[in-house]
Amino acid sequence: MKRILMLACFVTVLFLPREILAIEIDRINNFNSEIIINRDTSISIKENIDYETSLTKHGIYRYIPIRYNRDNISYSASVKNIIVTDDNKNSIPFAKTTDNRNVTLKIGDPDTTFSGKKTYIISYQVENALQEFDDHDELYWDITGEGWQIPVLKSSAIIKSDVASIKNIICYSGPIGENDGKCSSQFVENKAEFSYNQQIVYGDNFTIAVAF
């Protein structure tokens, strides 16, 4: 009887459609951001995005937040000097569009497809990134953005400041407007480190605040 059941299971698997047997992969394995605080209150950002897909793709979309509300106050920033390369410093083409919340980068060659693993390195500068308060200045920044259509499995950020000492830090993670308390952080005088090892999907965020 056991042999009959095993044979039936084998025959069932044998005739399953190939697309059911294949496991579809389309994800960001790791998202790392390095942010440098500049003297003119701008920030310089370099993002390393490790992408993996089993599908045939041209590239990815990156949504960079430029406007958000905090404590009933609306803030906006300007993104410029965008450069996209691979991990061998080869230039990767992209198209840029802007709406009232994000700068959207459509990254990839429209005439070339691939599958497998690829690393995207995105560098850009954000003007007016620091907010000025009576007793401190502050960087409040959504590291990954909220528009991902594919999961981001792991995220991290390093903030470096040679122009002012870091006084305090905090991070928020999980669905927008909530905080799951699962991001971790630490800092010394001129460097802060943040990490979030939970999956980020559309509508989630990984946001940091650094006071100087």
Side-chain angles (χ1 to χ4, degrees):
M1 183 65 178
K2 185 181 294 186
R3 293 181 60 186
I4 295 174
L5 289 174
M6 291 177 62
L7 180 61
C9 291
F10 174 77
V11 171
T12 300
V13 172
L14 184 65
F15 288 99
L16 281 174
R18 184 177 299 175
E19 56 269 23
I20 293 178
L21 294 176
I23 298 175
E24 183 178 294
I25 297 173
D26 197 31
R27 66 196 182 196
I28 304 298
N29 288 324
N30 188 52
F31 184 112
N32 174 260
S33 181
E34 182 176 306
I35 301 176
I36 296 176
I37 308 298
N38 300 316
R39 192 172 298 276
D40 62 358
T41 73
S42 69
I43 55 176
S44 299
I45 298 180
K46 182 173 74 172
E47 299 171 346
N48 282 264
I49 301 174
D50 295 328
Y51 176 56
E52 182 178 7
T53 183
S54 60
L55 308 176
T56 301
K57 290 294 191 76
H58 293 278
I60 64 171
Y61 286 88
R62 170 70 176 111
Y63 302 89
I64 303 173
I66 56 172
R67 185 171 288 107
Y68 57 93
N69 294 313
R70 185 185 182 196
D71 297 329
N72 296 319
I73 301 175
S74 178
Y75 297 91
S76 62
S78 175
V79 174
K80 65 178 186 178
N81 300 334
I82 302 171
I83 299 173
V84 182
T85 67
D86 62 17
D87 50 356
N88 292 315
K89 299 183 179 181
N90 297 311
S91 179
I92 297 177
F94 65 91
K96 172 189 169 185
T97 57
T98 304
D99 59 27
N100 62 349
R101 291 187 60 85
N102 298 284
V103 168
T104 300
L105 305 180
K106 184 180 180 182
I107 300 171
D109 188 337
D111 298 319
T112 303
T113 59
F114 72 95
S115 61
K117 295 182 177 181
K118 186 179 288 288
T119 296
Y120 296 97
I121 300 175
I122 307 173
S123 301
Y124 54 96
Q125 189 168 349
V126 181
E127 296 181 321
N128 304 318
L130 268 62
Q131 302 166 23
E132 297 183 4
F133 297 93
D134 292 338
D135 58 349
H136 70 282
D137 294 336
E138 183 179 287
L139 172 66
Y140 183 86
W141 190 251
D142 186 344
I143 297 298
T144 54
E146 303 157 2
W148 287 102
Q149 305 295 320
I150 56 177
V152 179
L153 303 188
K154 184 179 179 182
S155 310
S156 60
I158 298 176
I159 287 76
K160 298 179 180 179
S161 172
D162 291 329
V163 299
S165 298
I166 297 173
K167 297 178 180 178
N168 198 14
I169 61 174
I170 194 170
C171 59
Y172 310 92
S173 52
I176 299 171
E178 301 178 20
N179 184 17
D180 62 14
K182 295 181 179 179
C183 58
S184 61
S185 60
Q186 60 181 359
F187 77 98
V188 292
E189 183 178 4
N190 298 111
K191 184 172 74 172
E193 296 179 291
F194 303 86
S195 62
Y196 185 58
N197 295 326
Q198 305 298 312
Q199 179 173 282
I200 290 175
V201 295
Y202 185 85
D204 289 341
N205 82 126
F206 171 37
T207 298
I208 60 95
V210 180
F212 304 94

